[in-house]
Amino acid sequence: MDFLNEVKYRFKYATPTAKLIIINVALFVVLAIVRMFLWMFKSSDATLMDQLALPSNLNQLLTHPWTLVTYQFTHLGLMHLISNMILLNLAGSIFLDFFRKSDAWRVYIWGGVIAGFLFFISCNFIPAFGSGNFSLIGASGSAMAILFAVTTYAPRLELNLFGVFKVKLIWFSLFFLLLDIVIMPNSNPGGHIAHFGGAIYGWLFANYRKGSIKFKLFEPVIRQEIKPKHMKVEVNQTRPKVNAGHVMSERKSGSPTQEEIDAILDKISSSGYERLSKEEKDILFKASQE
C-alpha cells in the first residue's frame, strides 16, 4: 500500500513530460502481459489492437473514434517505445522552459490527432501508399509536435548531444524530417507521413503563441487558459544586447521583466541553453508560466 501511495505521489508531482512517458511505458507493459496470455492460449491479439490502433479504414474510424488518441500511447516493439520516449524526453524537457505545463498535454494530444488525420488522408488518397487496411500506433507524431513547437520558438538554441556534439535545435529537428523523406518510399510510409502532421501542428502552435499567425484551429480551447497579460518570450526578436548577470543582480522580487528575458535569450542565442545558470533557467521558466 505504501508503494502504491508513493507511486501516486510521484506521478502527481511529476512533470508533464514524465507523466506522458510513464503512461506510454505503463500501457506497453500491460499490453505485453495481455499479449503473452493471448499467445499462451493461442488467441489472436487483433481484436485488442482494433481498440487501440488508428485504422486507415473510414468505417472502422467512425466506429472507433477514440483510436485518434489511444494510438498515441500504444507501442508493441521495445525499440519503438524506447526511441519515441528518448525523443519525447529530449523535446519535452526543452519545451517546458518556453511553454506552460498544460501546453505539453495539448500539443502532444492535438499534434497526434493531426498526425493521425494526415496518415488517414494519405492512406486513402495517395496511390503510392497502397490500398488495404493499415493501422498506426506510436507516440512519434506527438513527440514531433512537441519538438517542432519548441524548435519554432527557439530555433537557435544549441543542443549538446552526448556531451560531445553541439548542434542547433533547428538542424537537429530538420534532420528527422529529412530522414522521414529518405525512408518513406522504402518502409512504413504512413508512419513517416504522420511525423509531418505532428511537425506542422507544432509549428502552427508555436507561431500562434508568438502571435505571428492567427491560429483558429482549436483556438477557443487554447485561449481559455491565456492570461490577459501573458508575457511572450521570443528568441528571434531584434533587441539591444543586455548583460544577463547585471540585470539579475539588480532584480529583487516579483515577475521577471522583459529586459531580463531579453538578456537570457541573448545568452541562449550566443552560448546555448546549457550555459545558463540555475537562476537564469528559473527566471525563464517563471516567465513562460505567466
Side-chain angles (χ1 to χ4, degrees):
M1 199 63 172
D2 290 339
F3 173 75
L4 292 177
N5 290 333
E6 179 69 15
V7 171
K8 291 179 181 178
Y9 175 83
R10 295 290 183 183
F11 184 81
K12 181 178 179 180
Y13 292 100
T15 65
T17 301
K19 288 180 179 179
L20 288 167
I21 292 174
I22 291 170
I23 293 172
N24 275 277
V25 173
L27 183 57
F28 174 81
V29 172
V30 170
L31 285 177
I33 294 172
V34 172
R35 295 176 71 229
M36 180 192 69
F37 278 104
L38 290 174
W39 170 79
M40 290 172 63
F41 291 95
K42 295 186 177 181
S43 298
S44 172
D45 62 359
T47 302
L48 173 65
M49 296 311 299
D50 285 343
Q51 305 301 315
L52 299 173
L54 179 65
S56 62
N57 181 277
L58 177 59
N59 291 330
Q60 292 180 356
L61 179 59
L62 290 176
T63 57
H64 298 73
W66 59 84
T67 56
L68 276 168
V69 174
T70 56
Y71 94 87
Q72 303 174 31
F73 298 91
T74 305
H75 299 80
L76 295 181
L78 181 60
M79 291 308 300
H80 187 205
L81 173 72
I82 292 175
S83 60
N84 282 345
M85 293 305 100
I86 290 176
L87 179 60
L88 177 59
N89 182 63
L90 173 64
S93 60
I94 304 172
F95 182 93
L96 294 176
D97 287 319
F98 295 94
F99 299 93
R100 295 194 297 263
K101 290 182 178 181
S102 60
D103 287 338
W105 289 93
R106 181 174 293 113
V107 175
Y108 183 97
I109 297 296
W110 283 117
V113 169
I114 299 303
F117 271 122
L118 187 58
F119 158 80
F120 175 82
I121 293 171
S122 299
C123 289
N124 285 277
F125 296 101
I126 299 180
F129 284 76
S131 58
N133 293 329
F134 303 100
S135 60
L136 179 66
I137 60 172
S140 53
S142 301
M144 288 289 279
I146 291 179
L147 176 63
F148 272 83
V150 72
T151 299
T152 303
Y153 218 80
R156 293 180 292 172
L157 189 150
E158 196 171 63
L159 300 178
N160 191 0
L161 300 178
F162 310 110
V164 178
F165 305 103
K166 290 186 177 181
V167 59
K168 292 189 184 299
L169 185 57
I170 181 65
W171 301 120
F172 176 81
S173 302
L174 290 178
F175 169 78
F176 280 95
L177 288 187
L178 178 61
L179 195 61
D180 284 317
I181 293 173
V182 172
I183 297 176
M184 191 182 301
N186 301 316
S187 66
N188 189 24
H192 291 294
I193 199 68
H195 295 174
F196 284 85
I200 290 170
Y201 181 88
W203 178 82
L204 288 172
F205 182 88
N207 276 289
Y208 174 83
R209 275 288 191 252
K210 293 195 298 182
S212 301
I213 59 173
K214 296 297 182 180
F215 186 20
K216 295 186 180 298
L217 185 61
F218 315 127
E219 187 171 336
V221 178
I222 296 175
R223 275 186 173 175
Q224 66 184 4
E225 292 189 7
I226 297 180
K227 298 178 181 179
K229 295 183 179 180
H230 176 64
M231 181 180 293
K232 292 188 291 184
V233 183
E234 302 190 16
V235 173
N236 293 324
Q237 183 179 358
T238 303
R239 53 186 173 269
K241 297 291 182 180
V242 184
N243 185 284
H246 176 69
V247 171
M248 286 187 295
S249 66
E250 296 181 352
R251 181 175 181 269
K252 296 181 179 179
S253 60
S255 300
T257 65
Q258 188 62 48
E259 187 180 23
E260 289 177 302
I261 300 302
D262 290 346
I264 293 172
L265 293 176
D266 281 330
K267 185 173 180 179
I268 292 176
S269 179
S270 61
S271 305
Y273 179 80
E274 69 279 359
R275 298 299 297 274
L276 295 182
S277 66
K278 183 179 183 302
E279 184 181 3
E280 290 170 329
K281 291 179 181 178
D282 289 342
I283 290 175
L284 190 61
F285 177 77
K286 184 176 181 181
S288 69
Q289 304 302 301
E290 296 181 354

